[in-house]
Amino acid sequence: MSSGGRIPEDNLPHIEGDAAVAGAMAADSDWGETGEDDDMDFELADSESEENEYHDIEEQLEDSEGDNDDGQFHDASESNATGGLEIEVSINPDADDDEGSIGSVRVMQAAGATQPVQVTRAQILDLLGHAGLRRILAQHRAGHNEGPQDDEDDSEDGDLTYGYGGMLGRRRRRPKGARSDFPPVPNPEGQRLMMNTGTFGNNESYQDILRKRKKRMARRLMSRELGIPGHETGRENCLIAQDLIPSSKADLIVHYNSRCYSGQFSDDGNFFFSCAQDFKVRMYDTSNPYDWKYYKTVVYPFGQWTITDATLSPDNKYLAYSSIRSNVCLAATDPMDDSEPWMLDFSSISNSRPPQRGWGGSHFGIWSIRFSGDGREIVAGTSDHSVYVFDLDTNKSILKIEGHADDVNAVCFGDVSSPHILYSGSDDTLIKVWDRRSMGDSREAGVFMGHTEGLTYVDSKGDGRYVLSNGKDQSMKLWDLRKMMSTEQSAGIDPGRYTSNFDYRFMTFSDDDYKAHPHDCSLVTYRGHSVLKTLIRCHFSPSGSTNSRYVYSGSEDGKVHIYNLDATLAGTVDVNDATRNSRPRDPSLYTSAYEIDDRGSRGSWKTCVRDASWHPNAPVIAATSWNGYGMSTGTCTVHTWNDGGDDDDSGISAGRRVNHELRDDPNLYARREADTSMRSRLRSHFSRRRDVDNGDDDGDDSA
């Protein structure tokens, strides 16, 4: 050990007759025995690595103090086996580094006889880690610690600092993740929103906050039934509802042979639809959210790549769904109606020149569609950087807004009671607000600026005020219409200066890539989920089943992330764990695998939750995902609240496995067979071995 790392002899107090240390060393550490703990072996060490030359002694002291619970050091009062022992510690500053020992310990018996024992540096540090010695060293340090202090501005590589008693060691490095430009968690603005009772859920009474513990369901029900003051029925019901977060265990796993892109409950919870890459939309009766029934399936004829989005009319009678074409299909949801869907041509806009149609009769694709609150219009975001509004009465587009510089990936109406306010989110990183009552100059009413990469989804709370968005910068943001940036302000800012054009489909995004937008006007930023591979969606939690307490998003890591309004994580639904290996491998589906591993087209089991929907009246979440081996297939999983039942199980058990018509499929439970190529290789291997053995036998006989 170099001179810079030695412990000066005059800085270490002389310890003799400390009964507490003597009792600890003799009774609990068994210094005279070996084999129980490699760190307490008293044979002379041969050598030590260069890594330990400048070991962080302060960190070692903290670690060894934390070992008290493991029984290495105790007070003498805990044991009477060492009443006649005294200990003397001496440090040899001139000891050779390669000897592995920097001092000695003399264990003196009551009769006065001494027995020197050679100890290693690690054992000295273990001894110094005793709580009693640390108090002595802390007092002794006051008069000797005159070395340089820890400075955050020092370089990270090899800066030295003085620790206990002037002992020299390496300065601890600052954690890489400790950056000041990350959004604060918990977010003060989000906390303020949570305190406004009614808008985003209710809060506990002052008594509950003072106790700092969460009430269980049984106590809430008892307080409500007994009529205890402060636990009125209406308020207590809201508090009960907002605490019922569904678990990761899947009650039902609906398997599809193609990837699922979206799925949503109707506003009344009686209907659910899921869209898959096979251009089919399946509909289910969910009037009983715990007992689904298959409804019907509709098809998008001549679709391109996948069904990109779907939306239900407010009366649940019609379903509109789109593909990467300018046509939207409109189908009746009545299971007795088996007629072909109507084709709505969004390119047929009044007072415009005839569209220049491209391949397949479509000159642009539609990424997002939404019904208006009155069910008379459909708004669409398209690949030609525009927003279209289609009128169902006239059967043509009545408005085209060319207001973005890139694809419009998400659109929605701002208020369920009015079709005038529109939101559009684009790959140009902007969310624009459009007021159809004042568009004489074809300019937006305002802009939400804060994302540094393209938008993947926009969801309105439906109150004409709050908006939620997901971005490829791996963040979700909450916006307030009253704090949007004016058109004049945004005109002087180039959003292209703050984006890297990150390709979310194939690239990865780390914390080092995150950069805060200098003109961010959002209220709260939520981070922790992954917006990769596809246009992952986010939503406000419903008022009926959650009291509007949360916001949530799908994620590329196979989970549904549920956040409180203050950006703290309220819970997760792990779809990947719930569905892992829930169907056997199917080599016929490997060609559609999204992720290819180094073994060829057969990928490992992977889940990407693209969309999730919270039932409006029950603690149930339905997650639609890319799922399976290489994410070549899809699932819709149903997760319910079970009062912490997952915590009682050793693992998450798979739920009932069904096909797209909710029928039990024995093939989904079939035991996974060995890979054909592997079996052929094994067969050929044993065949060669047999031929070799036969050849050896023949050779021996001929000899």
Side-chain angles (χ1 to χ4, degrees), residues 84-115:
L85 295 180
E86 295 180 351
I87 297 176
E88 178 181 346
V89 180
S90 62
I91 304 298
N92 182 10
D94 299 324
D96 192 358
D97 295 342
D98 296 333
E99 292 178 359
S101 175
I102 60 171
S104 64
V105 176
R106 292 182 181 272
V107 182
M108 295 175 287
Q109 301 177 359
T114 62
Q115 179 183 359

Side-chain angles (χ1 to χ4, degrees), residues 12-85:
L12 185 69
H14 185 74
I15 305 169
E16 184 173 0
D18 192 335
V21 180
M25 294 167 57
D28 292 319
S29 298
D30 292 334
W31 283 56
E33 298 179 7
T34 60
E36 291 187 5
D37 191 341
D38 294 339
D39 292 337
M40 302 299 287
D41 190 352
F42 280 73
E43 294 181 7
L44 185 62
D46 294 333
S47 62
E48 296 202 16
S49 63
E50 257 182 77
E51 253 178 30
N52 294 329
E53 291 292 335
Y54 292 98
H55 207 57
D56 190 347
I57 296 177
E58 182 177 354
E59 185 172 353
Q60 288 286 343
L61 292 175
E62 292 176 0
D63 293 342
S64 54
E65 182 181 20
D67 290 338
N68 289 347
D69 295 337
D70 299 333
Q72 291 196 13
F73 291 101
H74 296 277
D75 290 337
S77 59
E78 299 180 13
S79 176
N80 296 324
T82 60
L85 295 180

Side-chain angles (χ1 to χ4, degrees), residues 275-342:
C275 306
Q277 199 172 3
D278 58 2
F279 304 105
K280 295 180 180 179
V281 182
R282 281 88 176 183
M283 308 181 197
Y284 304 96
D285 177 8
T286 57
S287 54
N288 181 353
Y290 302 99
D291 185 18
W292 289 26
K293 292 180 175 59
Y294 174 70
Y295 223 53
K296 65 183 294 186
T297 298
V298 294
V299 181
Y300 189 109
F302 310 107
Q304 185 171 335
W305 179 248
T306 185
I307 292 180
T308 54
D309 202 3
T311 179
L312 268 172
S313 61
D315 57 6
N316 293 351
K317 291 183 177 181
Y318 296 98
L319 178 76
Y321 49 104
S322 62
S323 184
I324 311 180
R325 292 182 178 274
S326 59
N327 293 328
V328 170
C329 289
L330 185 66
T333 59
D334 186 351
M336 304 304 295
D337 189 344
D338 57 357
S339 61
E340 294 293 324
W342 294 281

Side-chain angles (χ1 to χ4, degrees), residues 512-563:
D512 294 335
D513 299 320
Y514 176 81
K515 294 181 180 178
H517 199 295
H519 304 286
D520 189 358
C521 61
S522 63
L523 294 180
V524 187
T525 300
Y526 307 87
R527 298 181 70 250
H529 58 293
S530 299
V531 188
L532 301 171
K533 299 290 192 300
T534 183
L535 301 177
I536 291 175
R537 305 184 169 200
C538 61
H539 303 279
F540 289 96
S541 66
S543 58
S545 56
T546 68
N547 205 16
S548 302
R549 190 64 169 180
Y550 310 107
V551 293
Y552 62 100
S553 171
S555 178
E556 186 268 343
D557 62 5
K559 300 178 181 179
V560 179
H561 291 250
I562 305 169
Y563 298 94

